[in-house]
Amino acid sequence: MRDFMKEYLNELERRLEMILENQREMFDRAARMIADQIKADKLVYVFGSGGHSNMMGEEMFHRAGGLACISPLFADSIRIPHIPFGERCAQLAPYILDAYNVGKDDLLILVNGYGINPVTIETALECQKRGVKVIAVTSTDYAEKLPKDFHGRHPSGKNLHEMFPVTLLTYMEYGDAILEMPGIASKIGPYSTFSNAFICNAMVIRACEFLVNEGIEPPIINSINVEGGLEKNQKLYAKYRPLIKWL
């Protein structure tokens, strides 16, 4: 008898290993960008520009073991209850960036599984216009297989994975789900959230390595649910609360 849960686990492990082993140089480039922002005493912005990708702003923000200098770009119209309407409204992008004062020489981690929707591409175009540095986290299979005239695309037909030199690929396949089960016409077992979270957290870990090797202690958030955790965070709160909207 097939063990479908074990097959799911094995396939997740295989793909995450592939992400790491195939993209170590790109991880280094992304982590260097993050480390340099921290050395310059600047924030690192994160925007999950659609549906479940939006969770990466939450994943990286005020996360035990993560960076205190993460500023997520939350926009209610992009989040799950409003899908697909918000992510298909390209005009939202400049307003979202303006709301968080994202501009020249800032760094934005732009996460979108499919990498084609209007708000994602418009955000990318706005960042290029404004001189914002971008680390893209996305996939290629969906973007390359979807027709250029698909109604859910940005009018330009652009794909996120082609727009920035520092782009980390999730290897998400067309349709996201990765497990076939007899008796079900569609695949089951979503994948993209695992790959997005692994990439985002792995970049932070590598950036911390760079900083420690240079004698700099990264600003790391502690869990407030362990003894002394909240107290350790107080200096970080004093520094970042005036700068980060949601802290």
Side-chain angles (χ1 to χ4, degrees):
M1 181 178 294
R2 289 175 63 180
D3 186 340
F4 291 101
M5 290 188 294
K6 181 63 173 175
E7 288 184 27
Y8 185 44
L9 176 61
N10 289 344
E11 188 60 19
L12 289 173
E13 290 177 340
R14 183 185 74 81
R15 291 171 185 243
L16 296 185
E17 287 277 1
M18 185 168 62
I19 287 170
L20 181 60
E21 294 310 316
N22 289 357
Q23 299 183 96
R24 284 188 178 270
E25 181 181 351
M26 194 62 74
F27 269 110
D28 282 354
R29 293 175 66 183
R32 183 74 266 167
M33 292 170 71
I34 295 170
D36 286 347
Q37 293 298 103
I38 293 171
K39 289 171 66 176
D41 209 17
K42 293 174 70 69
L43 300 178
V44 176
Y45 296 91
V46 182
F47 185 28
S49 54
H52 290 86
S53 298
N54 180 77
M55 288 192 289
M56 291 308 106
E58 297 176 352
E59 171 65 21
M60 297 187 76
F61 173 59
H62 198 266
R63 192 70 158 99
L67 293 169
C69 56
I70 294 291
S71 179
L73 276 58
F74 291 139
D76 281 345
S77 55
I78 307 297
R79 304 174 92 171
I80 287 297
H82 304 285
I83 292 301
F85 308 109
E87 69 176 31
R88 292 185 178 175
C89 182
Q91 295 86 347
L92 285 173
Y95 294 104
I96 294 168
L97 294 173
D98 285 347
Y100 292 90
N101 297 312
V102 181
K104 184 173 173 56
D105 295 328
D106 285 330
L107 174 62
L108 176 69
I109 301 172
L110 182 55
V111 186
N112 190 265
Y114 300 143
I116 58 94
N117 74 44
V119 78
T120 296
I121 302 304
E122 194 68 22
T123 298
L125 292 170
E126 274 290 316
C127 286
Q128 290 174 340
K129 187 190 307 180
R130 297 173 184 221
V132 177
K133 295 172 282 190
V134 172
I135 298 168
V137 179
T138 190
S139 60
T140 62
D141 196 50
Y142 190 95
E144 290 170 351
K145 288 181 178 178
L146 199 68
K148 288 291 185 182
D149 60 353
F150 177 69
H151 65 277
R153 277 189 177 276
H154 186 270
S156 68
K158 288 181 178 290
N159 299 317
L160 179 60
H161 73 269
E162 298 168 333
M163 298 181 72
F164 297 102
V166 179
T167 297
L168 282 152
L169 302 177
T170 64
Y171 301 131
M172 181 185 78
E173 294 178 1
Y174 189 78
D176 194 348
I178 59 176
L179 194 66
E180 293 181 347
M181 181 180 290
I184 304 177
S186 301
K187 286 186 178 181
I188 60 175
Y191 164 72
S192 58
T193 301
F194 290 96
S195 55
N196 286 341
F198 174 72
I199 288 173
C200 289
N201 288 315
M203 284 192 293
V204 168
I205 290 168
R206 188 64 173 137
C208 287
E209 273 191 275
F210 285 146
L211 292 168
V212 169
N213 289 340
E214 295 169 26
I216 300 168
E217 183 175 359
I220 299 298
I221 285 286
N222 299 273
S223 172
I224 62 173
N225 294 311
V226 298
E227 290 184 5
L230 182 59
E231 290 73 19
K232 289 179 181 179
N233 289 340
Q234 291 304 327
K235 287 185 178 179
L236 297 172
Y237 293 155
K239 177 176 181 177
Y240 291 112
R241 270 187 173 143
L243 305 174
I244 298 176
K245 184 172 183 177
W246 300 104
L247 191 60

